[in-house]
């Protein structure tokens, strides 16, 4: 039997520590990594026997610097089918646009969580790329920390926002639950901005992005010499956030031993660093978020019930996008307006067919994935409006036929937008004018049929045409 051959990854990086980390992460999923410390070595390696076996490239933008996009273009010209992921410390949307136009498959902003990095690598190299390639790109567009930016009219979503807005003015812990990509971090920032501590910093800790053996030290701090490698005293996040707000993202990933210490700190209102002889009083507003319901984890013994109760004094549950698909048109308009504000991009319209395609997809990664898809489509669109052809990944999954939207509540309303780009309802007369124009076009100007279908008399229809300034040849 032939020996299994690992997939080969080229890492263009001159930082030994980062190279070791990425190589170790890739090895867990069956990758063997070769490292090129400069652009010249990377280009030369493509022409070698080993280079012909490459399945992907990860490029740290620091290595070629301002020439990163030129290097991506050069690599793609030599190996067009080879996925390239760029890692950078820059949050510039313009660099993201240039990198993607140069041929980058994805663009990752440091510090990159291990799960995010490996998800991007998997998405770029598997046959499921058509589905998974719609990866999170929201780091290119910093969110606006206010409730006005939380777009949606679905009752379950508005109820969640109402609970969050009321809780924001209080001081008790808040727990936000919802699937990945539903907007939990954005809601955390909106709550902080609406709180009495808005002028104080918001400290956000992603639990899943911290090595398990370091989480306790990150949260509680440690004294010098408290354990091997503790060469300096470190103040923990809880003490740093005294008088302010501490957000714990993916709190469901806390180890049980740390859960017990956190529960004790919440109850006593103090924190004791590792190796310290005494505790420090703290006044911290805790807002936690979890991809999984903590009550379910507590029921299976994977989370302390007492901590789940303490963190969830107020609980907010954000619904997945598939449960509020009627919000997709408003979200799409809002995101396109924001994307159009980014350097190197412009505001685009979107056709009814494209909206119907977006509405037909179930968006497993929720609002974040929708935004990512719109960002990517906007980067490569040459026209004034996005069409179905600008979403090849969705077409590959759903196909181009009208049956994709069968039974979808947007099927009949996709041609009439209910919301302005900022997510507010349009004026009634503007919506009515669009409905009449749609009917005239649908029934090819046969005004008797238009009036019958709209349930009004011909004289009423003509009066409305005059009042709304609509040409009946529209």
């Amino acid at each position: 039997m032939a020996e299994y051959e690992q997939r080969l990854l080229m890492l263009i990086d001159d930082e030994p520590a980062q190279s070791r980390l990425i190589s170790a992460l890739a090895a867990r999923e069956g990758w063997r990594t070769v490292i090129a410390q400069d652009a010249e070595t990377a280009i030369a390696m493509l022409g070698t026997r080993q280079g012909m076996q490459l399945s992907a490239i990860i490029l740290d933008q620091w290595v070629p610097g301002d020439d990163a996009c030129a290097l991506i273009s050069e690599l793609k010209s030599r190996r067009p089918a080879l996925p390239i992921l760029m890692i950078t410390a820059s949050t510039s949307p313009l660099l993201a646009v240039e990198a993607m136009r140069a041929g980058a498959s994805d663009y990752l902003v440091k510090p990159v969580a291990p799960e995010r990095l490996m998800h991007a690598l998997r998405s770029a190299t598997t046959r499921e790329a058509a589905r998974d390639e719609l990866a999170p790109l929201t780091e290119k567009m910093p969110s606006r920390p206010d409730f006005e930016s939380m777009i949606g009219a679905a009752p379950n979503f508005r109820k969640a926002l109402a609970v969050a807005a009321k809780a924001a003015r209080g001081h008790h812990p808040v727990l936000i639950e919802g699937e990945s990509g539903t907007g939990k971090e954005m809601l955390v920032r909106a709550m902080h901005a609406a709180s009495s501590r808005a002028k104080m910093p918001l400290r956000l800790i992603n639990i899943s992005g911290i090595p398990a053996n370091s989480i306790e030290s990150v949260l509680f701090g440690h004294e010098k010499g408290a354990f091997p490698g503790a060469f300096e005293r470190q103040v923990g996040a809880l003490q740093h956030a005294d008088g302010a707000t501490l957000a714990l993202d993916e709190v469901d990933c806390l180890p049980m031993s740390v859960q017990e210490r956190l529960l004790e700190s919440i109850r006593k209102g103090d924190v004791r660093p590792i190796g310290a002889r005494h505790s420090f009083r703290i006044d911290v507003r805790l807002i936690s978020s979890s991809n999984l319901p903590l009550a379910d984890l507590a029921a299976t013994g994977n989370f302390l019930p007492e901590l789940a109760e303490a963190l969830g004094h107020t609980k907010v549950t954000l619904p997945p996008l598939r449960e509020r698909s009627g919000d997709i048109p408003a979200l799409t308009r809002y995101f396109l307006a924001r994307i159009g504000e980014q350097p190197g991009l412009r505001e685009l319209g979107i056709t009814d067919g494209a909206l119907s395609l977006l509405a037909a997809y179930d968006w497993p990664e929720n609002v974040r994935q929708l935004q990512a898809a719109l960002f990517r489509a906007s980067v490569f669109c040459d026209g004034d409006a996005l069409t179905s052809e600008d979403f090849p990944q969705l077409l590959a999954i759903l196909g181009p036929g009208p049956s994709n939207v069968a039974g979808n509540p947007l099927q009949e309303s996709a041609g009439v937008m209910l919301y302005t780009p900022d997510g507010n309802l349009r004026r009634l007369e503007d919506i009515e004018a669009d409905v009449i124009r749609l009917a005239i076009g649908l029934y090819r100007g046969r005004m008797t049929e238009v009036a019958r279908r709209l349930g009004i008399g011909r004289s009423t229809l003509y009066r409305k045409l005059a009042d709304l300034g609509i040409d009946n040849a529209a």
Side-chain angles (χ1 to χ4, degrees):
M1 184 172 64
E3 184 179 350
Y4 172 75
E5 185 175 357
Q6 291 180 304
R7 291 174 295 174
L8 191 62
L9 169 68
M10 178 196 288
L11 174 60
I12 306 174
D13 197 346
D14 60 358
E15 295 183 14
Q18 180 170 270
S19 297
R20 288 193 297 270
L21 175 61
I22 293 177
S23 298
L25 289 171
R28 295 178 190 174
E29 301 205 9
W31 290 85
R32 181 167 63 88
T33 304
V34 293
I35 299 173
Q37 295 189 343
D38 54 57
E40 292 74 18
T41 303
I43 292 172
M45 192 179 293
L46 284 184
T48 66
R49 180 177 179 181
Q50 188 178 49
M52 297 305 294
Q53 298 173 347
L54 289 172
S55 297
I57 295 175
I58 295 179
L59 162 67
D60 190 313
Q61 185 242 338
W62 176 262
V63 176
D66 293 338
D67 295 327
C69 294
L71 176 57
I72 292 172
S73 295
E74 178 67 18
L75 294 171
K76 291 296 286 188
S77 68
R78 294 170 182 258
R79 297 287 300 279
L82 201 59
I84 300 175
L85 285 67
M86 187 168 83
I87 301 176
T88 178
S90 171
T91 57
S92 167
L94 182 58
L95 181 57
V97 171
E98 291 175 347
M100 293 167 65
R101 284 177 175 164
S105 303
D106 210 339
Y107 175 99
L108 308 159
V109 178
K110 296 180 183 178
V112 184
E115 293 77 8
R116 170 71 175 103
L117 176 65
M118 298 319 298
H119 172 82
L121 187 58
R122 283 194 300 270
S123 297
T125 56
T126 63
R127 289 188 178 274
E128 292 299 315
R131 180 183 297 270
D132 296 336
E133 183 269 342
L134 304 177
L137 294 172
T138 51
E139 56 261 48
K140 284 48 151 200
M141 293 164 42
S143 59
R144 296 171 181 172
D146 56 59
F147 282 99
E148 293 298 319
S149 298
M150 304 289 291
I151 304 300
N156 53 357
F157 182 70
R158 300 312 304 180
K159 179 181 178 181
L161 291 193
V163 173
K166 182 178 180 180
R169 299 188 292 271
H171 302 281
H172 295 295
V174 176
L175 173 64
I176 303 172
E177 294 182 340
E179 295 178 9
S180 178
T182 49
K184 296 189 296 295
E185 181 179 337
M186 189 174 180
L187 184 57
V188 167
R189 296 185 184 279
M191 290 185 65
H192 174 68
S195 74
S196 59
R197 305 185 186 217
K199 294 183 179 180
M200 300 297 291
L202 168 66
R203 188 171 181 84
L204 198 150
I205 303 293
N206 187 302
I207 302 299
S208 68
I210 304 172
N213 59 357
S214 300
I215 293 176
E216 185 175 7
S217 179
V218 169
L219 291 180
F220 299 94
H222 63 254
E223 297 295 322
K224 181 179 179 180
F227 50 82
F231 301 116
E232 300 290 341
R233 179 176 180 269
Q234 175 177 301
V235 177
L238 284 162
Q239 193 174 346
H240 259 308
D242 186 28
T245 302
L246 176 63
L248 301 179
D249 189 22
E250 297 192 62
V251 71
D252 48 299
C253 296
L254 276 176
M256 190 63 71
S257 59
V258 181
Q259 291 181 34
E260 293 169 352
R261 287 206 63 186
L262 181 58
L263 177 60
E264 183 181 5
S265 284
I266 293 173
R267 285 175 170 173
K268 293 183 177 180
D270 63 21
V271 60
R272 184 173 182 175
I274 301 171
R277 295 182 178 181
H278 60 277
S279 301
F280 298 90
R281 295 292 298 175
I282 55 172
D283 173 24
V284 176
R285 173 75 185 280
L286 275 178
I287 303 180
S288 306
S289 60
S290 173
N291 293 339
L292 302 171
L294 293 192
D296 292 352
L297 294 177
T300 58
N302 293 309
F303 205 89
L304 286 177
E306 298 84 358
L307 180 58
E309 183 178 354
L311 294 176
H313 182 278
T314 299
K315 186 165 71 172
V316 179
T317 302
L318 286 177
L321 186 54
R322 63 182 174 275
E323 292 181 6
R324 57 184 191 105
S325 59
D327 287 338
I328 288 178
L331 284 165
T332 296
R333 298 288 185 183
Y334 173 75
F335 286 140
L336 287 178
R338 290 207 51 215
I339 290 168
E341 297 170 356
Q342 306 308 309
L345 294 174
R346 57 200 169 88
E347 186 171 350
L348 298 171
I350 186 166
T351 65
D352 294 345
L355 271 177
S356 296
L357 185 68
L358 296 180
Y361 189 51
D362 61 4
W363 301 106
E365 294 177 37
N366 297 296
V367 177
R368 181 191 296 154
Q369 190 182 15
L370 172 64
Q371 181 177 343
L374 292 168
F375 185 95
R376 185 175 295 278
S378 297
V379 167
F380 297 105
C381 180
D382 294 324
D384 294 325
L386 297 177
T387 68
S388 299
E389 287 69 29
D390 290 306
F391 301 94
Q393 302 90 352
L394 297 186
L395 285 175
I397 297 167
L398 301 171
S403 60
N404 294 332
V405 293
N408 189 291
L410 291 174
Q411 184 177 7
E412 295 81 16
S413 62
V416 178
M417 300 307 301
L418 301 179
Y419 305 96
T420 60
D422 62 4
N424 292 310
L425 280 170
R426 298 173 64 207
R427 295 190 309 166
L428 182 60
E429 65 179 38
D430 293 337
I431 295 174
E432 185 179 33
D434 280 356
V435 170
I436 293 174
R437 289 191 185 96
L438 182 66
I440 292 172
L442 184 63
Y443 299 107
R444 301 185 180 184
R446 292 175 288 139
M447 305 308 287
T448 300
E449 184 68 8
V450 169
R452 187 175 76 83
R453 293 291 181 176
L454 292 177
I456 58 178
R458 279 175 57 91
S459 59
T460 302
L461 173 60
Y462 281 111
R463 186 178 71 251
K464 286 183 177 293
L465 291 177
D467 291 343
L468 296 172
I470 301 175
D471 182 352
N472 64 11

